[in-house]
Amino acid sequence: MSYLFPAQAKITPSFSEPELIVQYAQASGFMQTMEKGKMRVRMGQDDLAVYVNSLNIQTESVASQFGSNWLPSVSLQAQFDQALTYVLRNRNNYDDAMERAAARYNVSLPNALELGQRQGIYQQLRSMYWYGYNASNNEGILNTQGATSVTLPADTDGNTTVTAYNPNDMYQFILQQIVLMKSRMYQSGAQIANRIVIASAQREFLQFQYSSVVQVTSYQRPGGGTNTVAGAIQKIAEEAGDSIEWVYDDTLIGKGAGGADMVVITIPEIEVPTMEDPNTNIFGKLQPSTKAVNVQYADVAAPIKTITPIPDGGLTQMLEMRATAGWCWRPQGVTLISMPY
């Protein structure tokens, strides 16, 4: 904790620009991979764990021309899972002298400290969501047990890196991963429309969006033009009734197998497949049920701020909230792709 606002020497007359040159950090899109694009603010401030129940079914029946003395039955298997919660806190002290020093730079010190503290907690939430604290407990989306993990295969020219990869092959590869995911989740049919989120480091998506152009022999837009990998995937998904969201997170750099970059494809909310009766998924109508695939629980939507005086003068400003790590309830809805850049 340090504040550096050195004394200033200015020429008079002069003009001082009131606007600040502020240091920026990446605004991560990790929350878009959650159910409804936000945390579940449902737990209490003192809750040490979150539990969820699940129910699996196996069905069987018999068919014969005459009655049978032996009849099969439905088998139900209930289980529950848990996620530990963690307290996120940070604190800053300041006094009147520090406030006045900051004011010479046109900075509101309490506001700057609060925003900085919030950013620290939010970055910690992002790290908890992706990586968790204890991989053996399956904490974090990247540690999801049962998630599909693949490595980018060589293209038709033998290239294995994103920058050298054949755009036509990349376009087909990503679409194939989406097809496989929707198939695993039974997300097909006229009434199914999915929100598909692809999270990657900037250098992957920007490559797909700007540099990797799909040739006209693989994808043709109305009017005979060509498109980029990202644009072609987006268009195909829209025509199929789905939507594609690309989000950035540079902490995924180097998090794949062998130090490759990680690209995460997920469907954050599952849609219940349904048909007119006889509906072979009628058990899916059982309530209460959830459509969530990826979740992160918190006790509050934003950190709680507490300001208290300190004995030697000044104030202590503390921010605090409690949250779980990232938690995937349906591993079929997550594909982890290691892409060497």
Side-chain angles (χ1 to χ4, degrees), residues 5 33 73 106 109 151 199 208 246 257 280 287 294 314 328:
F5 295 99
T33 65
S73 60
N106 205 24
L109 185 61
T151 299
F208 302 153
W246 294 79
T280 55
Q287 295 297 324
N294 307 313
C328 177

Side-chain angles (χ1 to χ4, degrees), residues 95-153:
D95 58 19
D96 292 344
M98 296 176 187
E99 284 193 76
R100 291 193 297 271
R104 291 194 292 268
Y105 283 79
N106 205 24
V107 173
S108 169
L109 185 61
N111 186 41
L113 293 178
E114 180 177 347
L115 292 175
Q117 289 176 257
R118 284 176 180 264
Q119 180 163 302
I121 288 178
Y122 293 156
Q123 289 179 348
Q124 189 70 28
L125 283 172
R126 181 261 307 274
S127 180
M128 292 167 58
Y129 179 75
W130 286 131
Y131 314 111
Y133 285 123
N134 192 340
S136 62
N137 288 342
N138 301 321
E139 290 184 355
I141 300 304
L142 268 62
N143 297 317
T144 298
Q145 186 175 13
T148 299
S149 297
V150 297
T151 299
L152 184 68

Side-chain angles (χ1 to χ4, degrees), residues 304-335:
I304 298 173
K305 179 175 68 172
T306 304
I307 299 178
T308 55
I310 52 179
D312 55 350
L315 299 171
T316 289
Q317 181 170 281
M318 185 182 74
L319 267 65
E320 175 182 5
M321 68 183 298
R322 183 180 287 271
T324 67
W327 195 3
C328 177
W329 288 348
R330 304 177 191 273
Q332 305 92 333
V334 173
T335 297

